[in-house]
Amino acid sequence: MKLYFATDVHGSEVCWKKFLAASKFYEVDTLVLGGDMTGKAIIPIISQGGDDYKVTLLEQVTILHGKEEVDRMVQTIQNRGYYPYVTDPDEVQALVSTPGRQDALFMEQVLKTIQRWMDYADAKLAGTGIQCFVCPGNDDVFEIDPVIAASKYVRSLEGEVVTLDEHHEMANSGWSNPTPWNTHREEPEEALLKRLEDIISKVKNPSQAIFNFHAPPFGSGLDEAPELTKDLRPAYAGRSMIPVGSHAVMKMIDKYQPLLGLHGHIHEGKGTRKYKKTLCVNPGSMYEQGMLNGLVIELKPQKVGNYLLTTG
């Protein structure tokens, strides 16, 4: 079988569409999206009166004239992984002054986007026979799970073991070890170890399995991120890289030596590493540029076949 894996699209509309299109482009029969599907912020497009609107994107202020320019900006913001929101100064003031209203609006935009993604996937995948799996990650709110579950052709695999073909099973979890940002699906290493052991206990033959675990193994080289100061700024101007992966994931790779480890979480950690019998891969992420990093890989009985890291 031939599989395509990508991860950490963080709300990028164009990356989601490229992910779905990868089945045809790379001629694969299975799509797997690792964790962190959702974006991180709303970008307001604020009416200035008449047909003019103001937007600040990546510290760049732009005045838009008319619906056509607004529509183009909405697409640009969506492709960069943010949530555009067309509004006016009165609503902005109400959002700022009313406790909880910004959080409610953010959740509304997250769920609206995931619903649109599921609708798009259901339309594209219908009748193709393509398997499409996702596994929400540490940055993803739990509220997206029922939206994905309602999809006809996209299946969420958190905590599950899925049979890919007669030779390969895939164990899945989007949970990570603790991060500096106290995200939604992270937990201490001891709890993560138990979670992963419980999932792997359902695998019939771990040595022939795929471990689709969002956090990369600690010290693998696929987990190096910029060192941060106490106020969460890059230390030494971002020149100091340190391992931040999961000890629990490394223990599971070391103990069971599966055929393949699929990881993400650390966008800078793009690469492949062979650890004992296991090929571990982190395709990295360039979602803010609208670029989708991925992995195309052949799985054969008892071994991994040809594989290729892709960007497009």
Side-chain angles (χ1 to χ4, degrees), residues 238-253:
R239 294 192 300 274
S240 175
M241 303 292 282
I242 59 172
V244 295
S246 167
H247 291 279
V249 172
M250 174 54 91
K251 285 182 180 177
M252 295 298 92
I253 297 288

Side-chain angles (χ1 to χ4, degrees), residues 16-17 19-20 31 114-128 130 132 134 151-155:
W16 173 249
K17 291 181 177 178
F19 169 71
L20 294 173
L31 297 170
I114 290 294
Q115 183 62 65
R116 185 172 67 248
W117 285 18
M118 294 304 108
D119 292 343
Y120 182 84
D122 284 347
K124 288 292 182 182
L125 297 173
T128 65
I130 301 295
C132 182
V134 301
S151 167
K152 292 180 181 177
Y153 299 104
V154 180
R155 179 178 168 187

Side-chain angles (χ1 to χ4, degrees), residues 259-270:
L259 281 182
L260 178 64
L262 298 177
H263 312 284
H265 190 43
I266 306 303
H267 302 177
E268 303 88 345
K270 178 180 179 178

